[in-house]
Amino acid sequence: AKPLLVAVCVFWSFFSVTTYTSGPDLRVVSRSEFDSASFVWERIDKTQDKYCVLADTWELLVLEGLSAGKIVGGGFPIDYQFNQDERLRLYGKLQYETDLGALAEMRALTSADKCWVILPESIVDEQKEQYLATMMGGAGKLIGDRVVWEEATISTGAVE
């Protein structure tokens, strides 16, 4: 009986350790996803209270970690079940449509003064590049296999 009990305990321990070490991860963040989130974090105005970063969930998770929780979900609303329907809808819209009103909608949802967009290079053709450059006020920066756009700051000409 004792050898059987020991064998069951060893098997159960092995099973438990294997289950916990494999974790719930669906995949690992790519180098490009990490680098694009790092690029945004290095350049974003950290004095702001509101942020607007439209990107895939993986980049946003990296950004949340780099910012020590200051930027959660790119600044977009999160519901009680941790869904971000508006962010996902806008992210899909930028991938497949050309609606210049998307930037105003991003700002309205986040209450931020300035937005960032991160998209996979594989979906950025010449038309999409022109559309996003027009909407964001400048060209995107290629980082690995991601393209990052920073909304251009528009000078009002006012003296501060």
Side-chain angles (χ1 to χ4, degrees):
K2 263 189 171 179
L4 180 60
L5 183 60
V6 169
V8 168
C9 286
V10 167
F11 174 77
W12 185 255
S13 297
F14 176 77
F15 177 75
S16 298
V17 167
T18 304
T19 299
Y20 284 109
T21 58
S22 65
D25 297 339
L26 300 174
R27 69 178 185 87
V28 176
V29 174
S30 74
R31 185 77 206 173
S32 294
E33 290 166 329
F34 182 86
D35 290 345
S36 62
S38 296
F39 177 81
V40 171
W41 178 241
E42 289 169 8
R43 287 160 181 77
I44 204 163
D45 181 357
K46 296 168 185 68
T47 65
Q48 297 296 309
D49 292 327
K50 304 284 185 177
Y51 295 94
C52 175
V53 182
L54 187 62
D56 187 59
T57 303
W58 294 98
E59 282 103 347
L60 295 179
L61 288 171
V62 171
L63 191 55
E64 182 177 344
L66 292 171
S67 70
K70 192 169 184 176
I71 304 174
V72 178
F76 288 86
I78 301 172
D79 72 15
Y80 71 98
Q81 290 185 323
F82 304 103
N83 293 322
Q84 289 188 292
D85 296 333
E86 293 94 348
R87 178 187 62 84
L88 290 174
R89 181 182 54 74
L90 280 169
Y91 187 68
K93 188 182 232 184
L94 286 187
Q95 290 183 61
Y96 305 110
E97 298 175 24
T98 53
D99 174 12
L100 294 176
L103 182 58
E105 195 173 350
M106 290 163 51
R107 275 204 231 109
L109 286 167
T110 61
S111 300
D113 296 328
K114 185 178 196 174
C115 291
W116 295 75
V117 173
I118 304 172
L119 290 173
E121 177 193 22
S122 61
I123 66 161
V124 180
D125 58 15
E126 189 175 327
Q127 180 184 7
K128 181 137 332 271
E129 174 69 35
Q130 288 177 339
Y131 152 65
L132 284 161
T134 300
M135 185 177 83
M136 299 298 285
K141 174 151 177 70
L142 183 62
I143 299 174
D145 64 2
R146 296 289 188 257
V147 185
V148 179
W149 285 268
E150 175 182 5
E151 183 182 356
T153 304
I154 298 171
S155 175
T156 60
V159 178
E160 295 180 15

